[in-house]
Amino acid sequence: MIDVKARKVVALAGGVGGAKLALGLQLALSPGNLTVIVNTGDDFEHFGLAISPDVDTVCYTLAGKVDIEKGWGLQGESWNVLTALKALSAPTWFQLGDRDLATHMERTRLLQAGWSLSQITEHFCRLWGVSSHVLPMSDQPFRTLIRTQAGELLAFQEYFVREHCEPSVAEIIFQHAEGISPAPQVLSSIEAADLVVICPSNPWVSIDPILALTGIVPALKMKPVIAVSPIIQGKTVKGPAAKMAQELGLEASAAAVLGHYTDFVNGFIYDQLDGDIFTSDNYPGIIKKTTNTIMKNDEDKLGLAIETLKLGERLLENTQNND
Ligand code: FO1
């Protein structure tokens, strides 16, 4: 039997929850065998700087630099610039730490010099000693907008950070999404993977932008794919996925998450606290597994990654038996 460490795995991820499982997978696999494709629908410009929050959250986490408490930003950060901006009555709702600002400044400078977001991310990851490959989902601008039930149109970070996810969501809009291509290496990394893992990120605003890109869903249909539910007992550990589901008229449950991915997943992991929510009639072709999906520390992250890889081995055996 092949050593699971030797498997090539592609993970699709958004921010904090996705980054945690990505770290677990990085710990479980041989160096270089993990590729993380990251949502860029949350990207925006602030103070003229190009900010890629989910890409940075994944890179900082894989580099062991992330602020563990917040799940984003850098450990041991200082806030001198933000404090000075506040004194100037500048908008400070989006917290940019001093050292994090250096990332955004250098990314902006390199973009202006003609580098792509993928090239910049690879360059930063090399400097930060990240052994995995981190690919922004696209090098073309893709913006997630939220139309609120009050009729307002908000950029994603305005909804998420400035408004604390409080407005009720009427519609999620992917601006200019049609015809946007995945970044170089995104499709080829899926083609080369033994297994694809959809991290426990928000399906509607973190994973759907990746799935909306040309060629992604057809590429996933060719591979064993496991999704991990971010919804546990009708709630999320962090972020608005459960609240959003209800506002969009969906059920806030792990079953609704599986229903969302049913066209292309072969395996599904949901939390042990949800017990037996599926009967044998629900999605019979998809292998379901319960385990602890709450990732409080690195042991939990590694544990969930190992359970995911073990389910991956079952899916791979099934594929070989059907060949
Ligand atoms: N999240 C917050 O809740 N408040 C912030 O002020 C904030 C600032 C921030 C700065 C840089 C960065 O890379 C991420 C940041 N995040 C912040 C996280 C981010 O808004 C979200 O985690 C994602 O966009 C949702 O996946």
Side-chain angles (χ1 to χ4, degrees), residues 9 11 21-29 34 197 199 301 305 308-309:
V9 176
L21 181 55
L23 177 58
L25 290 165
Q26 178 174 272
L27 294 169
L29 295 165
L34 174 68
V197 177
C199 289
K301 291 167 201 162
T308 308
L309 294 172

Side-chain angles (χ1 to χ4, degrees), residues 204-227:
W204 301 281
V205 291
S206 298
I207 301 297
D208 273 2
I210 307 176
L211 301 179
L213 300 175
T214 311
I216 297 283
V217 172
L220 294 182
K221 284 183 175 170
M222 308 298 288
K223 291 285 156 183
V225 179
I226 296 174

Side-chain angles (χ1 to χ4, degrees), residues 89-134:
S89 299
T92 52
W93 55 269
F94 195 77
Q95 295 179 50
L96 294 169
D98 297 335
R99 288 188 305 126
D100 186 37
L101 267 166
T103 304
H104 311 307
M105 288 169 69
E106 180 59 357
R107 175 166 40 230
T108 306
R109 187 186 75 81
L110 291 172
L111 283 169
Q112 286 169 357
W115 291 43
S116 68
L117 185 60
S118 313
Q119 290 170 328
I120 297 166
T121 307
E122 189 183 359
H123 168 64
F124 286 174
C125 281
R126 195 176 317 119
L127 295 171
W128 292 331
V130 176
S131 62
S132 303
H133 308 283
V134 180

Side-chain angles (χ1 to χ4, degrees), residues 15-16 42 51-54 56-57 72-73 93-96 100 104 156-157 160-161 206:
V16 179
D42 296 13
I51 321 268
S52 294
D54 286 356
D56 289 346
T57 298
W72 51 267
W93 55 269
F94 195 77
Q95 295 179 50
L96 294 169
D100 186 37
H104 311 307
F156 185 78
Q157 295 300 334
F160 191 89
V161 177
S206 298

